[in-house]
Amino acid sequence: MVLKYSSKASTCSISTLFLSFSILFALLLSIFLLSSNHTSKSISPLSCLMSNTATDLPNNNANSDSINVYVSNLPRSLNYGLLDKYWSLSHDSRLGSDIDNEIRSTSSWNNKKVPIYPESPLIKQYSAEYWILGDLVTPPELRSGSIAKRVFSPEEADVVFVPFFATLSAELQLGTAKGVFRKKVGNEDYARQREVLDLVKGSEAWKRSGGRDHVFVLTDPVAMFHVREEISPAVLLVVDFGGWYKADSKASSNGNNMSDMIQHTQVSLLKDVIVPYTHLLPKLLLSENQKRQTLLYFKGAKHRHRGGLVREKLWDLLVNEPGVIMEEGFPNATGKEQSIKGMRNSEFCLHPAGDTPTSCRLFDAIQSLCIPVIVSDNIELPFEGTIDYTDFSVFVAVNEALQPNWLVNHLRRSYTDVQKSKFRQNMARVQSFFEYDNGYPGGIGPVPVDGAVNHIWRKVHQKLPMIKEAIVREKRKPPNVSVPRRCHCT
């Protein structure tokens, strides 16, 4: 009986031991698999950062860069109402306005709930304000591809968007009473600027943040000219800093180079976002590209002010060079067709500084797959960090470009047909980044997923940690303590 009992006990013990080992093995295997999965997730972002191409498109299915946007409550008269006012003008005599005068004569602008934005190149190039607001007022069910998620309470928002058509307001004033633009008395644009600031600065959202989480679109260099100091804490969407920099008078009096001594008190790459001009020429697909006969092309005004004086000097150097076309003109109906032909038939397109460091000409060149030759030492460009412009552009220092024969020889000798073809391939990859128009009336509809509006909001999203830190720092200051604003950047 003892032996039989021992045999049964041994059998039971072996079974129990086997079961225990099985459970332990399953447990260890589970821990290993979980650990491996966690490790792969940790490595994944690093793998993305190790990509060799700076222009790799972002993951549009990810929601990590979505941003909650509250639209400030402004009356229609300060945005779409300004379009009603513009189209109601009897006539606009400024250069390039022929197409808008024709639209006025047919009243076709008045057939839509939201009026169209002006087609005059002078104004259309600054139309970012129209497309950004159009996206935000689009019905939610059509906004699945938009980075900006509209919220209806300031407390839920990451940023507050101020829907003022500042560019259109300025252009209306310049078109009807230019003589008082720099004055305050009798200036309707200034009155509108003041109305916007009184409404926005009186809100609890502004008082809570000091305006640091507010977003203004100021694409025209003269937009909101009279109140810039008041809105300088906010995030400003600008095409460049050309109309904002101030020379340091003290440094100037000491004989230093004025262009190198800039007071970063109103604009900065730290808080603001460089946005693209609206291109005026149609997109050329890479598959449509044909052999180009001209080496270098430029069309525009020869005479400019400030930093644009380099344009006049370049013109005199290049105008008689073989393989170079320098055309004086403006992109009205006739000029537009000339520009399309000129850019599509040229290997390189010249982009010298004008009144400001950049212009819509750069984005027309990209849409035309014409390799930009950028001669503008102080230029700032949209979406840098996502886009590497050296992948498809040629950057030339002003002092080198102004040496006789240097620029043409450089373009002829330094770039092979294979390199130029690669430039155009890289350019084709980023053409959509500079596209505002979504093809819907009034801009109210789904935005291009990899278009300009989404990329602008991605750049604003990158500012959020800095914005939150600035708001918290401001809160802890003792009463009546003033700290000078400092925006250091390179």
Side-chain angles (χ1 to χ4, degrees), residues 66 96 128 174 177 188 210 250 276 313 337 340 364 367 408 415 422 429-430 451 466:
S66 67
L174 290 168
E188 293 185 8
K250 182 178 179 181
K313 296 177 181 178
E337 292 304 314
I340 293 172
D364 285 337
Q367 298 303 320
V408 170
Y415 301 96
K422 183 64 176 175
R429 294 186 65 200
V430 299
M466 182 278 298

Side-chain angles (χ1 to χ4, degrees), residues 338-365:
Q338 290 175 341
S339 294
I340 293 172
K341 181 180 178 182
M343 286 193 169
R344 293 187 176 190
N345 195 44
S346 301
E347 297 276 15
F348 299 95
C349 284
L350 185 64
H351 183 76
D355 289 339
T356 56
T358 189
S359 72
C360 71
R361 186 178 297 103
L362 171 62
F363 306 98
D364 285 337

Side-chain angles (χ1 to χ4, degrees), residues 9 14 16 30 67 80 84 89 125 144-145 149 158 173 177 187 205 239 263 280 294 302-303 324 338 406 411 436 476:
I14 292 170
T16 303
S30 300
I67 182 170
Y80 293 125
D84 296 332
L89 295 174
Q125 63 181 335
S144 59
K149 307 303 178 186
D158 294 312
Q173 186 64 47
N187 184 341
V239 292
Q263 297 176 349
L280 303 176
T294 304
K302 175 181 178 181
H303 304 287
V324 177
Q338 290 175 341
W406 189 93
L411 296 178
Y436 285 104
R476 52 89 168 159

Side-chain angles (χ1 to χ4, degrees), residues 475-489:
K475 285 168 61 178
R476 52 89 168 159
K477 290 181 184 176
N480 303 318
V481 171
S482 177
V483 177
R485 189 179 302 119
R486 291 182 286 267
C487 295
H488 300 293
C489 60

Side-chain angles (χ1 to χ4, degrees), residues 57-242:
L57 299 181
N59 179 9
N60 297 313
N61 294 322
N63 294 320
S64 59
D65 56 356
S66 67
I67 182 170
N68 291 335
V69 181
Y70 174 76
V71 180
S72 186
N73 188 21
L74 296 186
R76 189 179 187 278
S77 60
L78 294 172
N79 38 71
Y80 293 125
L82 291 174
L83 288 169
D84 296 332
K85 187 177 181 69
Y86 175 81
W87 291 114
S88 296
L89 295 174
S90 59
H91 188 76
D92 189 342
S93 60
R94 287 179 296 173
L95 192 63
S97 296
D98 295 347
I99 187 170
D100 285 349
N101 290 329
E102 184 176 338
I103 293 172
R104 286 188 182 93
S105 68
T106 62
S107 298
S108 59
W109 66 271
N110 204 22
N111 299 333
K112 303 171 179 65
K113 185 176 181 180
V114 175
I116 60 174
Y117 205 79
E119 285 293 321
S120 166
L122 190 66
I123 305 176
K124 184 178 181 178
Q125 63 181 335
Y126 301 126
S127 64
E129 56 193 13
Y130 182 74
W131 303 108
I132 294 173
L133 181 57
D135 171 45
L136 290 169
V137 300
T138 294
E141 62 271 16
L142 299 178
R143 302 191 68 246
S144 59
S146 180
I147 294 300
K149 307 303 178 186
R150 186 175 179 183
V151 296
F152 293 88
S153 168
E155 289 74 23
E156 299 175 16
D158 294 312
V159 293
V160 176
F161 179 75
V162 181
F164 176 44
F165 286 178
T167 284
L168 191 57
S169 178
E171 292 297 336
L172 272 168
Q173 186 64 47
L174 290 168
T176 56
K178 184 178 180 180
V180 298
F181 183 77
R182 300 280 176 177
K183 303 174 183 178
K184 295 182 179 180
V185 177
N187 184 341
E188 293 185 8
D189 178 40
Y190 170 68
R192 288 189 287 265
Q193 294 174 37
R194 202 61 269 157
E195 183 181 359
V196 170
L197 264 291
D198 290 345
L199 289 169
V200 172
K201 294 181 73 172
S203 68
E204 289 302 316
W206 181 282
K207 293 174 183 176
R208 185 169 55 249
S209 69
R212 288 169 178 82
D213 58 356
H214 284 54
V215 179
F216 291 83
V217 187
L218 306 179
T219 43
D220 193 316
V222 297
M224 299 197 83
F225 171 78
H226 291 284
V227 296
R228 289 182 170 182
E229 182 62 30
E230 293 183 66
I231 63 174
S232 59
V235 179
L236 308 178
L237 309 186
V238 297
V239 292
D240 60 32
F241 295 150

